[in-house]
Amino acid sequence: MKMSRQSFSFVPNSVILSLCVLCVSILWRIGLVFNIAVDPAQCFTVSTSDVAIIEKWGRYSRTANAGCNFLCCPMEQMVGKLSFRVQQLDVRVETKTHDNVFLTAVVSVQYQVLREKVYEAFYALTNPREQITAHIYDVMRSELPTLELDAVFEAKEDLALAVKNALSETMTTYGYQILQALITDLDPDQRVKNAMNEINSSKRLKYAVAEKSEGEKILMVKRAEAEAEAKYLSGVGVAKQRKAIVDGFKSSIVDFAEGVHGTNPKDVMDLLLLTQYFDTLRDVGGAPNCKTTFVPSSRTTADDTRNALLQAEAAK
């Protein structure tokens, strides 16, 4: 059966237009389902501790949390991700101290994205690391020139606290939390470090010399005290010895005078002295280095000369 062109003339234009729209809609939906099935970009996952930023027609729409997520194409698009993990930024700052010593300070800042301010963290700053670095430079180059080199090493905690306070006040507005700021290194010029070591060495050497002198002084005082005490005790011993000798002589004289009739004390003293004289000669003659003992007994000048010649000959 053949249909003529006149048979379509009775179909209204609105019906034809509706049929065209319906066909296009069906084809579009089939294409969307096909794209979702074959294009992995429309089905994506977000790792734990991350968050994805979703825009709809170029405008912020929502955030996608950890897990499997879907995009409604072509209206929605994932434009980026943020991590909730703690991040660290190390910044080297070169500046000078109040006493015109240049040093390099290393500042480590630990920061984290605030979960309740993901929008600000993603859209407020182009590069948050550069923003943090700029604040660190500003704080360190305003605080260090007010301190001398020795005071800088003592004020590390104060400097770190100043950096943390300045960053926290600014970065919280942009969705970042400053957890910690640490001054991990202070490195002056090598010549300055050598000079500081020399100063410290000189101070310690000076202290050591003073302590050594004080020790020698104490040692000399103690030695003198010991020597004085020894001499005192020696004198006491000699005095007691002499007293004992005198008492012995006295006792011997009394006993000899009583035992031998017709003797007087002078005879007894002469006998005792003669006995001691012979004892002395015996001791001198028995010495290891003694060769000849000369006993003076001459009465004339010739005897003296002869004895002198003999003594000179024995001394050779």
Side-chain angles (χ1 to χ4, degrees), residues 21-310:
V21 171
L22 179 62
C23 291
V24 170
S25 177
I26 292 173
L27 291 175
W28 182 81
R29 291 178 182 276
I30 292 173
L32 178 62
V33 173
F34 181 78
N35 286 335
I36 293 176
V38 300
D39 189 2
Q42 315 309 319
C43 178
F44 65 96
T45 59
V46 178
S47 300
T48 304
S49 75
D50 288 350
V51 62
I53 310 300
I54 308 299
E55 291 183 353
K56 185 176 182 180
W57 302 119
R59 182 179 180 181
Y60 173 77
S61 174
R62 58 188 174 88
T63 58
N65 296 320
C68 183
N69 296 272
F70 296 91
L71 291 176
C72 185
C73 293
M75 297 161 309
E76 292 185 335
Q77 181 182 6
M78 183 180 68
V79 294
K81 290 183 179 181
L82 289 177
S83 175
F84 292 124
R85 296 177 181 177
V86 177
Q87 304 178 60
Q88 178 167 314
L89 174 63
D90 296 328
V91 181
R92 298 180 65 88
V93 183
E94 184 177 2
T95 183
K96 72 172 185 175
T97 61
H98 184 67
D99 47 354
N100 296 323
V101 176
F102 282 87
L103 60 83
T104 301
V106 179
V107 183
S108 299
V109 177
Q110 299 172 356
Y111 63 96
Q112 186 181 34
V113 175
L114 293 172
R115 293 181 180 272
E116 63 274 13
K117 291 188 176 183
V118 174
Y119 179 87
E120 291 83 355
F122 187 81
Y123 288 100
L125 296 176
T126 303
N127 192 333
R129 296 175 71 89
E130 290 185 358
Q131 185 81 4
I132 295 174
T133 301
H135 280 83
I136 292 175
Y137 273 107
D138 179 67
V139 174
M140 294 298 291
R141 288 180 173 174
S142 62
E143 293 289 337
L144 283 179
T146 63
L147 301 173
E148 294 186 354
L149 182 60
D150 292 338
V152 170
F153 289 91
E154 300 175 0
K156 287 179 59 178
E157 296 295 332
D158 297 334
L159 292 173
L161 183 60
V163 172
K164 180 180 178 181
N165 292 337
L167 289 175
S168 298
E169 183 179 355
T170 303
M171 299 304 295
T172 303
T173 308
Y174 300 124
Y176 288 90
Q177 178 186 7
I178 305 300
L179 301 177
Q180 191 62 265
L182 304 172
I183 309 295
T184 57
D185 189 21
L186 292 172
D187 187 20
D189 187 77
Q190 184 63 39
R191 290 173 298 178
V192 177
K193 290 192 287 187
N194 294 337
M196 293 176 65
N197 291 333
E198 290 293 334
I199 293 173
N200 189 27
S201 177
S202 299
K203 288 183 178 179
R204 293 184 178 274
L205 182 60
K206 180 180 178 181
Y207 178 77
V209 170
E211 290 296 322
K212 181 180 179 181
S213 300
E214 187 67 22
E216 291 179 352
K217 174 185 174 183
I218 295 174
L219 185 61
M220 292 176 65
V221 170
K222 293 299 182 181
R223 186 183 294 115
E225 292 178 353
E227 186 176 355
E229 184 70 18
K231 289 182 178 180
Y232 171 77
L233 296 176
S234 177
V236 172
V238 171
K240 291 182 178 180
Q241 180 185 13
R242 291 177 179 177
K243 184 177 182 300
I245 292 173
V246 171
D247 292 340
F249 283 165
K250 179 180 178 181
S251 177
S252 299
I253 292 171
V254 172
D255 294 339
F256 191 84
E258 292 178 354
V260 180
H261 296 284
T263 59
N264 53 25
K266 184 179 182 305
D267 297 334
V268 177
M269 286 296 298
D270 293 340
L271 179 60
L272 292 176
L273 290 176
L274 184 60
T275 304
Q276 290 186 350
Y277 176 74
F278 287 122
D279 292 339
T280 302
L281 292 178
R282 183 194 61 196
D283 294 337
V284 171
N289 297 327
C290 182
K291 297 180 180 179
T292 304
T293 302
F294 294 92
V295 181
S297 60
S298 61
R299 297 292 183 181
T300 63
T301 304
D303 293 335
D304 294 337
T305 303
R306 183 179 62 83
N307 291 334
L309 292 174
L310 292 175

